[in-house]
Amino acid sequence: MSNQVKDSRVKQILGIAVFLAMIGTNALAHSEKESMTPADGAVLDNVPETLEMRFNDGMRLTKVEMTHADTHVETLDLGAQSGFVKEFSLPLVPMGSGLYQIEWRGLGVDGHPMTGSFSFEVK
C-alpha cells in the first residue's frame, strides 16, 4: 500500500472519529435551565403566585426550597410529577417584601443530578 493511500485512510478514520465524538458529546449533554420566572435578580412589586421553571430537556425535580430574607425556609410543593418534564409551575407561599432565594435539585433525563439557585426581590 502506498504512503498516499495510507495517509488518505488515516484522514478518513480521523474524520469518522471526530464525527462520532461530536455525536456522543451531544447525546450525553446535561439538561440545562432555559428560564426561570421570576428571573434571577428581578425586583417585583408583589410576590408572584407561581414559580415557573423551564429546562431544555427532561428533568425530575426532587426538591425546591425558598428562603425568605435569610430566615424562613419553605419547601415548595412539587405536585404529582409523572416522569421527566421540561416545564414546572410551582405555587409560591407569599411571605411579604424582601429577598427570596430559590434553590432547586433534580435529576436530568440523562441520569445526572442537577442543582441550581436564583433569587428575586419583592419591594
Side-chain angles (χ1 to χ4, degrees):
M1 190 180 296
S2 73
N3 284 341
Q4 197 172 26
V5 172
K6 286 180 185 178
D7 287 345
S8 177
R9 285 196 176 167
V10 168
K11 288 179 183 178
Q12 288 175 339
I13 291 170
L14 286 174
I16 291 170
V18 168
F19 175 74
L20 291 175
M22 289 173 49
I23 290 174
T25 300
N26 288 336
L28 297 175
H30 297 310
S31 300
E32 295 179 8
K33 71 176 183 175
E34 285 188 345
S35 65
M36 304 292 166
T37 305
D40 187 27
V43 179
L44 310 171
D45 291 327
N46 298 304
V47 178
E49 292 182 16
T50 60
L51 171 69
E52 308 292 330
M53 303 175 74
R54 180 175 297 164
F55 297 88
N56 70 332
D57 205 353
M59 174 73 70
R60 175 176 281 160
L61 289 176
T62 57
K63 189 171 195 176
V64 179
E65 288 185 334
M66 177 177 70
T67 303
H68 176 252
D70 293 328
T71 58
H72 182 77
V73 178
E74 182 81 25
T75 300
L76 300 183
D77 181 9
L78 299 178
Q81 294 184 47
S82 58
F84 292 89
V85 297
K86 293 183 179 182
E87 296 182 15
F88 297 87
S89 181
L90 308 176
L92 286 182
V93 177
M95 292 186 228
S97 62
L99 184 66
Y100 287 74
Q101 176 74 28
I102 307 295
E103 294 186 16
W104 59 268
R105 286 187 286 184
L107 184 66
V109 73
D110 62 359
H112 286 91
M114 306 292 294
T115 61
S117 65
F118 62 99
S119 62
F120 61 92
E121 184 177 354
V122 176
K123 294 190 225 177

